[in-house]
């Protein structure tokens, strides 16, 4: 196997938290009289909390100072935490644990690479705090995707060169980040949207070692 480490995004790959981000942002935008749709929410996937707020304010044509922005982001996060605090191991997306198990049995390192500062809370709620060899998240890195920092940091933490890491991502910004890191990237979601990924599957339940090996072969890594 060419692949030595697999790095998983959290939101949209391991758990479906986009719906909770949406409800929390929606609550805030309703208060601010900003029209915010599910389609707009797509633009926030993989994007950091403050960058998400900037996009929302741009949609609503509102200009606020930094302390007002910090306050709004904190309110949104308080609501978001209320929702994710109710999550349980049943919220782990299908195929995740099975695929991770296969990788571990084949001595491939497992890391998490997420923009979320709520990563520890979510991993705790779903009972996966010991599932990864390393966790790089919004608390450990400062540059948001599409900057490759979070994936490079995850690779460093598991001590595997970036060129032998495979990233699983559901967001356009995340796919760009993985490619910027020089990693193989497998998109999770719609192949018509995630066009830049090296391969796209609907969910981790569609992944297995054969598919990974076939992809390595197709890309000329053996
Ligand atoms: C990403 C999500 O994983 O984390 C984004 O896709 C979110 O939608 C970002 O804004 C930051 O999350 P948090 O939990 O730190 O607000
Ligand atoms: Mg994501």
């Amino acid at each position: 196997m060419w692949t030595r480490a697999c790095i998983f995004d959290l939101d949209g790959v391991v758990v479906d938290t986009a719906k909770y981000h949406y409800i929390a942002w929606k609550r805030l935008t309703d208060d601010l009289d900003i029209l915010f749709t599910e389609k707009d929410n797509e633009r926030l996937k993989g994007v950091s909390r403050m960058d998400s707020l900037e996009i929302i304010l741009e949609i609503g044509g509102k200009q606020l100072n930094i302390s007002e922005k910090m306050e709004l982001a904190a309110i949104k996060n308080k609501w978001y935490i209320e929702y994710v605090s109710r999550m349980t191991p049943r919220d782990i997306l299908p195929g995740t644990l099975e695929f991770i198990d296969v990788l571990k049995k084949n001595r491939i390192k497992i890391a998490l690479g997420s923009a979320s500062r709520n990563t520890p809370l979510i991993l705790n709620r779903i009972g996966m705090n010991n599932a990864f060899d390393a966790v790089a998240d919004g608390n450990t890195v400062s540059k948001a995707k599409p900057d490759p920092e979070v994936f490079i940091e995850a690779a460093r933490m598991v001590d595997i060169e970036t060129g032998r890491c495979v990233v699983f991502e559901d967001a356009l910004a995340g796919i760009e980040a993985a490619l910027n890191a020089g990693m193989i990237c497998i998109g999770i979601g719609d192949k018509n949207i995630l066009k830049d990924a090296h391969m796209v599957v609907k969910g981790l339940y569609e992944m297995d070692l054969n598919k990974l090996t076939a992809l390595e072969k197709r890309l000329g890594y053996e």
Side-chain angles (χ1 to χ4, degrees), residues 9 45-46 145-146 151 167 169-179 185:
D9 171 47
K45 285 189 178 168
K145 298 171 187 177
F151 295 136
V167 170
E169 254 296 347
D170 70 311
L172 291 172
I175 288 169
E176 222 180 298
L179 299 179
C185 187

Side-chain angles (χ1 to χ4, degrees), residues 9-13 15 17 45-47 113-114 145 168-171 174:
D9 171 47
L10 176 65
D11 296 313
V13 174
V15 280
T17 42
K45 285 189 178 168
V47 176
S114 168
K145 298 171 187 177
F168 292 85
E169 254 296 347
D170 70 311

